[in-house]
Amino acid sequence: MLDQIAKWDEELFLWLNGFHVDFLDPVMLFLTKTYPWIPMYAFLLFLVFKTYGKASWWVVLAIGLTILLADQTASGLMKPFFARLRPCHEPMLEGMMYNYGGCWGRFGFVSSHAANSFAVATLMTLTLGQQYPKIKWLFLWAGIFTYTRIYLGVHYPGDVIVGAMVGVLSAMVAFYLFRWVYSLVAKKQAA
């Protein structure tokens, strides 16, 4: 069964990776990096401080825990444990796939980009979604951000899908943990 899933993942990768156009290569390489998104992250922090005021530091701590959980689960735990080669390192795909901008690390399962971006989208939706319903559009950003990894030839779709699930779960754990701790602290201060 796992062999069949890996085969489907590889076929879907080759199909999605095949949608490249030369003029988009540098655009996708630019979009896959962190620094182009710094203004968006700054705006999200602005919304957090605007919404939560003095209690914003709780959300900032939740953001830190979310990223720590997502990134360490993906990079520190899953990549070395599963040791699945990135498509650009897979000898059997040589000449069949498109790689632009380098191959980065050796192992790709799961995508840290997917884990971190879906973690941010989930946590921001949980913390700001009622005040700013359009914040859910962050999931579109996370999808585009992670598609760049397939386009560039460094992740299979399965790497991205499971990475997204890791990110969503990491955000939920951090959000509900901090909400629980915050309610305990608030009760203690009220007493």
Side-chain angles (χ1 to χ4, degrees), residues 80-155:
F81 179 80
F82 290 104
R84 183 183 190 196
L85 292 176
R86 291 178 185 268
C88 49
H89 283 301
E90 180 56 62
M92 294 182 63
L93 294 179
E94 194 171 317
M96 297 171 61
M97 52 137 322
Y98 183 73
N99 176 242
Y100 181 82
C103 198
W104 293 288
R106 185 176 168 130
F107 303 126
F109 185 80
V110 300
S111 168
S112 299
H113 274 69
N116 292 330
S117 59
F118 278 89
V120 167
T122 302
L123 188 66
M124 292 296 100
T125 299
L126 290 169
T127 57
L128 299 171
Q130 288 185 344
Q131 297 85 354
Y132 308 100
K134 291 182 180 173
I135 205 90
K136 293 175 184 122
W137 283 96
L138 282 174
F139 287 103
L140 178 62
W141 157 75
I144 292 168
F145 185 59
T146 56
Y147 172 71
T148 65
R149 311 303 288 162
I150 298 168
Y151 179 97
L152 295 170
V154 296
H155 278 297

Side-chain angles (χ1 to χ4, degrees), residues 172-191:
M172 292 175 76
V173 165
F175 175 77
Y176 290 110
L177 176 67
F178 271 90
R179 193 165 90 169
W180 176 70
V181 171
Y182 179 78
S183 69
L184 290 178
V185 170
K187 283 178 188 173
K188 193 171 185 178
Q189 288 177 346

Side-chain angles (χ1 to χ4, degrees), residues 46-69:
F46 165 75
L47 291 179
V48 165
F49 284 101
K50 180 181 172 194
T51 304
Y52 290 97
K54 291 179 183 177
S56 296
W57 68 276
W58 285 96
V59 179
V60 172
L61 287 173
I63 292 168
L65 180 61
T66 298
I67 298 300
L68 180 70
L69 286 173

Side-chain angles (χ1 to χ4, degrees), residues 12-32 87-88 97-102 104 143-157 160:
L12 182 59
F13 165 77
L14 290 171
W15 183 69
L16 290 170
N17 179 254
F19 290 111
H20 72 87
V21 185
D22 289 343
F23 79 88
L24 277 180
D25 292 351
V27 173
M28 290 297 202
L29 186 60
F30 176 75
L31 292 177
T32 205
C88 49
M97 52 137 322
Y98 183 73
N99 176 242
Y100 181 82
W104 293 288
I144 292 168
F145 185 59
T146 56
Y147 172 71
T148 65
R149 311 303 288 162
I150 298 168
Y151 179 97
L152 295 170
V154 296
H155 278 297
Y156 293 101
V160 169

